Amino acid sequence: MADTAGMEQARSTRQDLIGIGWMLLTGLCFVGVNGIVRWLGDSLPAPQSAFIRFVFGLFFFAPVLLRLPRYNIPAELWPRFAFRGVLHVAAVICWFYAMTRIPIAEVTAIGFLNPIVVTIGAALLLGERISYLRITAIFVALLGALIVLRPGLRALDPGHLSQIGAALFFGSSYLIAKTLAERVPATVVVALMGLFVTILLAPIAWWVWVPPEPGQIAALGLVAVFATAGHYTMTRAFAAAPMSVTQPVTFLQLIWASLLGATVFAEPIDAFVLLGGGLMIAAISFITIREARRRRRAITPPPAATKG
């Protein structure tokens, strides 16, 4: 019995390490996305950069898009897919603009508001119950955001406001995705998001179009590769280990973003950004862990149900 327990413990530890490894790769992929977009700067208009990035992304979604008729998507869901596309377009334009205006670490830290928006939206719009502990965690996360922004203690750049808008739009987009994923496979939700965003960005990109150089196109193609890889590795991390293990590793993304900004772009490391981002990640981790435990309790039948 002791040997069996020891083997199970060793297996669990191994899976945790694998999950942590996948999440470390996830952070590196997303920091790579940030670094490339920061390197491009404002050499291309934000809508055009976003459009080119999503055109490349369509290559990854092509296998799913070609099989769409097989999924028999209900007609009433298509307006929801389109509205999500509108929200995501606004989000990516705001994000690309913010990346040209403020340090990478600040963009990363403010982006931690995304899951907070989802949590609040799920409570207000979807009727999900929210405990006092989760409400406290939300306030802690918002406090962390205030520490990052420090309004009144410094002048806020338009990039800060743009990234806050991006967090609100991304959060709203993910909230709709959550409802769509209950009706169709997650791969379809992601693929149709990419398709609608590309279509909706096209006229905006055309309006502000600047002839891109080959190096800029290649860089945005690499952004698509890193972004797709990041979502893949994140999925592998969640499959390998509990969120209680993988979620706190997300904070390293802020550390890497700070180091990248300091070493490559000469951006000063801001202790307030690290402190505020740490509070936000702690709050998000708490919410994520509680949500995972709640779902396990809902899925696992009570002892009596397994008898007879």
Side-chain angles (χ1 to χ4, degrees):
M1 183 68 69
D3 289 343
T4 302
M7 291 175 61
E8 183 62 28
Q9 179 63 35
R11 179 183 177 278
S12 176
T13 301
R14 184 169 60 253
Q15 288 299 112
D16 287 350
L17 291 175
I18 291 173
I20 290 172
W22 281 117
M23 189 56 77
L24 288 172
L25 286 176
T26 300
L28 289 174
C29 286
F30 287 136
V31 169
V33 168
N34 292 348
I36 295 170
V37 174
R38 181 66 171 172
W39 174 76
L40 286 170
D42 57 0
S43 58
L44 294 175
Q48 181 181 347
S49 296
F51 172 72
I52 296 173
R53 172 261 182 270
F54 273 91
V55 167
F56 278 106
L58 286 181
F59 288 102
F60 298 104
F61 301 139
V64 178
L65 294 173
L66 291 174
R67 294 196 301 268
L68 274 183
R70 301 181 184 179
Y71 293 103
N72 296 318
I73 299 174
E76 67 269 17
L77 294 185
W78 286 102
R80 205 181 302 179
F81 279 113
F83 183 53
R84 190 196 178 202
V86 171
L87 291 172
H88 221 81
V89 163
V92 296
I93 291 176
C94 287
W95 181 81
F96 269 88
Y97 177 75
M99 283 298 304
T100 69
R101 299 282 310 190
I102 60 177
I104 296 175
E106 295 194 31
V107 172
T108 302
I110 298 171
F112 291 151
L113 284 174
N114 295 354
I116 301 302
V117 174
V118 173
T119 300
I120 296 174
L124 296 178
L125 302 177
L126 303 182
E128 290 192 6
R129 296 180 60 185
I130 183 169
S131 67
Y132 288 111
L133 287 175
R134 291 179 72 185
I135 292 174
T136 301
I138 289 171
F139 277 110
V140 171
L142 295 177
L143 174 62
L146 287 175
I147 292 175
V148 172
L149 293 170
R150 304 192 294 283
L153 299 180
R154 65 170 180 173
L156 292 182
D157 187 274
H160 291 112
L161 302 179
S162 185
Q163 181 61 2
I164 292 173
L168 293 173
F169 287 127
F170 274 130
S172 301
S173 171
Y174 297 148
L175 193 62
I176 294 177
K178 185 176 183 180
T179 66
L180 290 170
E182 296 171 355
R183 304 282 301 277
V184 296
T187 52
V188 174
V189 175
V190 176
L192 281 177
M193 180 272 292
L195 178 62
F196 273 103
V197 169
T198 305
I199 293 172
L200 293 169
L201 274 172
I204 306 173
W206 177 82
W207 184 261
V208 298
W209 192 265
V210 174
E213 298 177 359
Q216 294 170 326
I217 296 176
L220 289 168
L222 196 57
V223 167
V225 171
F226 275 125
T228 304
H231 286 292
Y232 172 77
T233 55
M234 184 187 299
T235 303
R236 293 296 301 267
F238 291 157
M243 287 188 176
S244 58
V245 173
T246 58
Q247 187 65 43
V249 182
T250 308
F251 181 67
L252 290 177
Q253 185 176 336
L254 180 57
I255 302 296
W256 290 331
S258 299
L259 293 175
L260 178 66
T263 57
V264 178
F265 302 104
E267 297 173 354
I269 294 179
D270 192 328
F272 286 100
V273 172
L274 295 177
L275 174 60
L279 286 176
M280 295 167 74
I281 283 295
I284 293 166
S285 298
F286 175 80
I287 291 172
T288 302
I289 294 167
R290 278 185 60 86
E291 180 68 14
R293 289 176 178 172
R294 185 183 68 82
R295 287 178 178 174
R296 283 201 299 270
R297 285 197 298 268
I299 294 173
T300 304
T306 63
K307 298 177 181 178

